[in-house]
Amino acid sequence: MQRREFLKISALGLGGLAVSGTILHQLLNMSDEEAIASFGRFPTYCEICFWQCAGWAHTDKDGKIQKLTGNDADPHCNGRLCPRGTGGLGAYYDNDRLKKPLIRVNNSRGQQTFREASWDEAFDLIAKRMKYISGKFGPESIALFHHGSGGKYFTNLIKAFGSDNIAKPSFAQCMGPRETAFAATFGAGLGSPEPLDIRDTKCLVLIGSHLGENMHNAQVQEMSDAIDKVATIITVDPRFSTAASKSKFWLPIKPATDIALLLSWMNVVIANEWYDKQFVEINCEGFEQLKQHVAPFTPEWAYGITTIEPDVIVKSAKAMHDASPAVIIHPGRHTTWYGDDTQRLRAVAILNALFGNWGQKGGFYLPDKAEMKHHHLPEFPKPKWTWKDTTDGKYNLVDLGLSNVIVDASIPKKNADNSKLVKAWFVVGTNLIQTLPNTPHTLEAIQNLELLVAVDTMPMEITGWADVVLPECTYLERFDSLRVSQNREANISLRMPAAKPLNDTKSAWWMTRELGIKLGLKDYFPFKTQEEELDWELKEMGSSLAEMKKIGVKTIPTPDHELYIPKGSKYEFNTDSGKVQLYSTAFEAEGFPPLPVYTKHPEPAEGYYRLNYGRAPMHTFGRTTNNANLTDLMDENTVWVNPKVAKIWDLKEGQYVKLKNQDDVVSSFSIKVRITERIRHDSVYIVHGFGHTDKRMNQSFGKGASDTELITNVMTDPIMGGTGMRGNFVTFEI
Ligand code: MGD
Ligand code: SF4
């Protein structure tokens, strides 16, 4: 399988879908040179997913945006946007976009009875209610949920108002276990883009990471490079993913048993002395405890749990050893699966450490990041309490807000101290209804609020529950903060508008300043325009807005930054001891197992199948499923069913069924059956983000099924509070 073929497959899915006759096709027909020569060109970075590739928005002679292309100087994309990014124009041209501020006209949330309002009226109402709620319950009772660029500005506003109840679903519903586990082991989380030297690796292990379908641009490109250079790919997945089809080893593991496999790999690596003795001796602590701990976890033991044959466990471990230190056990992103996720990710971190791949070519490189100066702001008031004070002393290893804890803190408890109650939500760029598991619980919290403000570009489900809806313009119509990202070389990227905002939409930067002024917080908003602010920041970094408008991306390498450390050298890790903690003293101090343990998880009852879910390369969560360019490529999800299961249920390819979960929750809409050997007989698989229930979204309403609706069993991670979502089982309603 050559690079070009893998990229094509991962970009369009195994079906190799045709795009001819679509808008996307016409846009793609224009070469970059033609576009640049004839049209205007504005730098941007993509907001269609959070990889944030930098590119150009091209406009025609009438100033209409016609095409998006990648910026050659950008290490996130190397000049090529993925299909979603290229189709990002569909977000701008979407007729269903929110067009004006909306105010609820009756008191019943969930009934979409809004009237249009002016920005001034909307801000007046929000400011008045915020002051009232703050007077009655304290400023801490105002919480913020956010995802995407606009969140930063609202974070400043909410902090300036006196609350630190701020959370992103990309932590407790996504990367939280990974970041907590790597911080406990190596002293720091990994951040984004993860510093993985995939292009030079000799062995890449994907354990529950479906890179290629999960389209993180440069990582997919680097994986293609690695495949070209004949790297060994090892994929552990109950589903035959696109990556599995490119792998030397595919381990179709029984779901929920990954920790057993990881422990067994450690057992084999230590028993055969396949670990990096020098690195372990100089840079790690707790090796003897680890050795004793994993001694019983033989491949034969793991076989009984994982269904992976002992021989395959040994051979795949040997392949990692042979490649080391140029080996990567990929840490993944969406890691909230079974509630013991931080322990699973600790096992991933430890296995990486055993191969001595830290700071090594083909392993983890040491990233560089530009230092950014911010204009001096007055200090934020110190809140009297935060979400952490509502958890009875839990989650002490976590600093970032947990969205699910803030939801819990919004529901008054019977016979409990309700002095720390959240009473208002700002929801910026996140569709909490589809994003948080256990929707009835989210709705119960919403019904207890005194104010819900939703800031969105689309009439997504969450906006239907809001009291005030603020329509943000899309990323192609606004400036935003500089993208300052870690990479092999520190770099920054500019986003500027390529066109005026359509309708009466505004940027989040503008909204927070205007609202801040109404709240008497003007000192926190020293710049009159975002252009002024960007120019000030860029000049502090030795560039300027004028320069960045021309080049879009600038590398600002830190002098003397080293990408790798010499083999055999001592490195100072940011843990208590300065060493990699194979045995976590931080976990021990909090009463958690200092070494990862395997616990058995419930299995499906007869006639039920584990609900597994993931991504498709042409969509990002639910945010793209109304984008006409992308629905041309995929307009509904399907439920993957093993042929054996299809036979039992007499299911036919293409037939529509409803899914019902273990708590008798039935999907709102029917979903098409896809019969395939690529899924195990004990599971089904659907792509997340479909099954929208808001009729205002014409492309996506009623298309496919929502996995979130069916996730009513949430297994909370005791270490970091993440919401494990893969312990739900479904059956068919035909
Ligand atoms: P989306 O559903 O795409 O993802 O959760 P979210 O970030 O909430 O919602 C994005 C929202 O942002 C949409 O309402 C969209 O219209 C809006 N939006 C898009 N662009 C803009 C913009 O420029 N400005 C503003 N203001 N709004 C904008 C993602 C989260 O979901 C994550 S990170 C993960 S990994 C989890 N994945 C996941 C899963 O796979 N399955 C289930 N069941 N739940 C999951 N929850 C988590
Ligand atoms: Fe945009 Fe694709 Fe890059 Fe994500 S990977 S930022 S969708 S171009």
Side-chain angles (χ1 to χ4, degrees):
M1 172 63 55
Q2 290 306 299
R3 169 194 177 81
R4 195 174 268 280
E5 285 170 73
F6 174 69
L7 280 178
K8 198 168 81 191
I9 286 170
S10 51
L12 294 175
L14 278 178
L17 300 166
V19 292
S20 67
T22 66
I23 310 166
L24 189 58
H25 182 76
Q26 291 158 20
L27 299 172
L28 289 170
N29 268 347
M30 205 184 295
S31 76
D32 282 1
E33 292 69 30
E34 279 168 341
I36 294 163
S38 28
F39 306 140
R41 192 176 85 149
F42 301 88
T44 187
Y45 57 87
C46 182
E47 185 88 7
I48 301 298
C49 89
F50 298 97
W51 197 252
Q52 298 189 317
C53 299
W56 304 102
H58 303 270
T59 54
D60 64 17
K61 59 183 181 357
D62 301 320
K64 278 192 83 177
I65 313 176
Q66 292 288 7
K67 176 176 169 166
L68 302 171
T69 59
N71 186 322
D72 290 337
D74 183 34
H76 292 227
C77 74
N78 304 311
R80 282 175 298 165
L81 301 182
C82 81
R84 295 170 301 172
T86 311
L89 269 186
Y92 167 68
Y93 284 116
D94 195 324
N95 284 331
D96 297 338
R97 274 175 61 173
L98 295 166
K99 298 181 176 70
K100 268 187 90 62
L102 301 173
I103 293 179
R104 171 174 304 291
V105 289
N106 82 20
N107 282 334
S108 199
R109 290 206 182 90
Q111 290 177 18
Q112 291 170 21
T113 43
F114 293 108
R115 69 175 168 82
E116 292 188 344
S118 70
W119 282 96
D120 204 43
E121 188 190 2
F123 289 148
D124 271 341
L125 183 107
I126 297 170
K128 204 167 129 202
R129 286 236 208 142
M130 282 175 80
K131 286 179 192 162
Y132 166 78
I133 295 167
S134 167
K136 206 166 153 195
F137 302 97
E140 299 83 0
S141 65
I142 306 214
L144 166 66
F145 300 85
H146 67 101
H147 202 189
S149 310
K152 287 189 207 88
Y153 320 124
F154 277 91
T155 298
N156 279 352
L157 179 75
I158 299 300
K159 284 193 170 186
F161 193 70
S163 174
D164 208 6
N165 283 320
I166 298 172
K168 289 164 127 181
S170 53
F171 188 71
Q173 282 67 51
C174 183
M175 288 196 271
R178 174 190 102 178
E179 293 301 90
T180 310
F182 272 75
T185 315
F186 289 96
L190 291 171
S192 175
E194 296 85 0
L196 309 176
D197 213 8
I198 297 179
R199 71 176 182 205
D200 286 317
T201 200
K202 294 189 183 134
C203 178
L204 176 65
V205 183
L206 301 172
I207 177 156
S209 172
H210 55 338
L211 203 55
E213 285 155 287
N214 173 14
M215 193 58 214
H216 285 152
N217 199 339
Q219 264 191 18
V220 178
Q221 294 184 26
E222 292 204 11
M223 184 172 157
S224 302
D225 287 341
I227 291 172
D228 269 1
K229 289 191 241 161
V230 209
T232 301
I233 312 288
I234 300 171
T235 300
V236 183
D237 199 317
R239 191 177 60 95
F240 190 65
S241 59
T242 307
S245 70
K246 312 294 161 276
S247 299
K248 179 163 180 197
F249 296 92
W250 171 44
L251 282 58
I253 194 166
K254 181 171 172 180
T257 66
D258 302 74
I259 297 183
L261 174 68
L262 287 158
L263 289 170
S264 176
W265 269 340
M266 287 183 216
N267 166 296
V268 172
V269 167
I270 293 176
N272 289 290
E273 303 199 350
W274 288 342
Y275 60 95
D276 185 330
K277 287 190 195 129
Q278 196 183 33
F279 181 81
V280 168
E281 194 174 313
I282 300 173
N283 285 305
C284 300
E285 63 176 16
F287 178 73
E288 282 310 317
Q289 288 109 311
L290 176 71
K291 187 174 171 181
Q292 273 182 31
H293 177 70
V294 299
F297 305 134
T298 59
E300 290 70 25
W301 167 83
Y303 174 50
I305 297 170
T306 61
T307 72
I308 306 300
E309 287 181 8
D311 177 46
V312 175
I313 296 178
V314 175
K315 281 190 181 143
S316 51
K318 174 82 166 52
M320 294 180 223
H321 161 68
D322 289 346
S324 65
V327 56
I328 300 167
I329 296 94
H330 197 296
R333 278 225 169 185
H334 173 68
T335 48
T336 45
W337 302 352
Y338 302 110
D340 54 2
D341 305 300
T342 310
Q343 291 291 12
R344 188 181 71 257
L345 270 295
R346 271 271 298 151
V348 168
I350 293 169
L351 190 58
N352 275 299
L354 286 177
F355 289 121
N357 62 3
W358 190 261
Q360 296 302 312
K361 193 167 185 181
F364 287 81
Y365 64 77
L366 306 179
D368 190 15
K369 188 169 178 179
E371 204 181 315
M372 192 172 163
K373 292 214 175 61
H374 295 283
H375 200 270
H376 176 75
L377 295 181
E379 227 173 276
F380 294 126
K382 190 161 170 29
K384 291 201 186 75
W385 61 273
T386 70
W387 60 273
K388 236 184 206 178
D389 300 305
T390 68
T391 64
D392 295 330
K394 288 186 203 156
Y395 315 134
N396 291 324
L397 297 170
V398 170
D399 289 327
L400 292 177
L402 301 176
S403 16
N404 37 309
V405 171
I406 295 182
V407 172
D408 292 343
S410 311
I411 301 176
K413 310 276 176 305
K414 286 191 192 113
N415 306 322
D417 167 20
N418 280 316
S419 60
K420 299 183 184 75
L421 205 54
V422 169
K423 294 301 289 181
W425 290 4
F426 277 79
V427 184
V428 181
T430 169
N431 185 17
L432 294 183
I433 307 295
Q434 263 206 351
T435 297
L436 299 178
N438 197 355
T439 317
H441 188 65
T442 311
L443 296 181
E444 186 186 348
I446 288 176
Q447 296 294 17
N448 279 298
L449 297 176
E450 303 224 0
L451 174 66
L452 199 170
V453 179
V455 182
D456 211 298
T457 52
M458 294 295 298
M460 292 274 173
E461 285 77 9
I462 186 67
T463 64
W465 294 88
D467 300 307
V468 185
V469 180
L470 302 178
E472 189 171 7
C473 52
T474 66
Y475 69 106
L476 297 171
E477 302 158 294
R478 65 189 197 227
F479 282 102
D480 255 315
S481 303
L482 295 171
R483 187 200 75 189
V484 182
S485 55
Q486 60 175 19
N487 218 295
R488 292 183 175 95
E489 268 189 322
N491 64 87
I492 57 172
S493 160
L494 175 72
R495 174 185 287 164
M496 69 175 293
K500 284 207 177 108
L502 293 178
N503 309 305
D504 194 6
T505 58
K506 301 280 186 190
S507 74
W509 188 95
W510 178 86
M511 291 180 212
T512 49
R513 186 170 190 279
E514 294 298 308
L515 194 50
I517 292 169
K518 287 217 190 275
L519 290 166
L521 302 170
K522 189 163 187 271
D523 291 351
Y524 292 94
F525 301 92
F527 294 97
K528 283 206 180 80
T529 65
Q530 193 164 19
E531 278 176 274
E532 262 178 50
E533 182 171 3
L534 287 167
D535 198 40
W536 183 90
E537 287 168 351
L538 283 164
K539 287 195 171 131
E540 290 289 313
M541 295 172 107
S543 178
S544 68
L545 189 55
E547 183 192 33
M548 289 302 288
K549 280 183 179 179
K550 281 191 215 127
I551 59 176
V553 172
K554 186 173 169 106
T555 50
I556 309 182
T558 308
D560 302 329
H561 173 258
E562 299 284 351
L563 210 49
Y564 307 117
I565 53 173
K567 191 95 197 69
S569 60
K570 166 105 185 74
Y571 186 79
E572 192 60 28
F573 291 90
N574 195 25
T575 54
D576 289 347
S577 52
K579 291 191 164 192
V580 175
Q581 292 216 327
L582 304 177
Y583 181 97
S584 170
T585 50
F587 278 22
E588 189 173 45
E590 286 295 319
F592 301 120
L595 291 160
V597 282
Y598 164 73
T599 38
K600 190 168 161 34
H601 292 288
E603 294 189 18
E606 203 180 332
Y608 281 77
Y609 308 90
R610 187 179 295 276
L611 176 64
N612 190 2
Y613 57 82
R615 315 273 174 251
M618 57 295 274
H619 286 291
T620 307
F621 320 125
R623 61 174 45 220
T624 50
T625 44
N626 204 68
N627 177 326
N629 292 344
L630 303 179
T631 53
D632 266 355
L633 302 175
M634 177 179 177
D635 67 346
E636 64 184 316
N637 56 0
T638 55
V639 55
W640 294 30
V641 178
N642 184 278
K644 275 192 222 153
V645 176
K647 199 165 169 209
I648 296 170
W649 288 85
D650 195 23
L651 296 176
K652 302 278 173 295
E653 178 78 12
Q655 173 182 355
Y656 280 85
V657 294
K658 284 200 171 184
L659 300 176
K660 181 171 84 169
N661 82 355
Q662 72 285 337
D663 296 325
D664 288 336
V665 175
V666 181
S667 57
S668 296
F669 307 107
S670 298
I671 182 168
K672 203 192 252 186
V673 170
R674 172 177 178 187
I675 300 172
T676 170
E677 293 279 2
R678 292 175 60 197
I679 184 83
R680 281 174 58 109
H681 64 278
D682 51 8
S683 310
V684 295
Y685 175 79
I686 70 179
V687 169
H688 168 63
F690 287 87
H692 281 285
T693 53
D694 200 308
K695 289 190 174 146
R696 295 172 294 172
M697 294 196 294
N698 284 296
Q699 295 280 340
S700 58
F701 170 76
K703 297 272 177 65
S706 156
D707 54 335
T708 310
E709 279 186 342
L710 300 164
I711 300 176
T712 47
N713 177 34
V714 181
M715 291 158 295
T716 306
D717 189 324
I719 303 176
M720 59 64 61
T723 53
M725 307 196 220
R726 294 206 174 149
N728 290 267
F729 308 108
V730 293
T731 189
F732 307 100
E733 282 211 339
I734 302 169

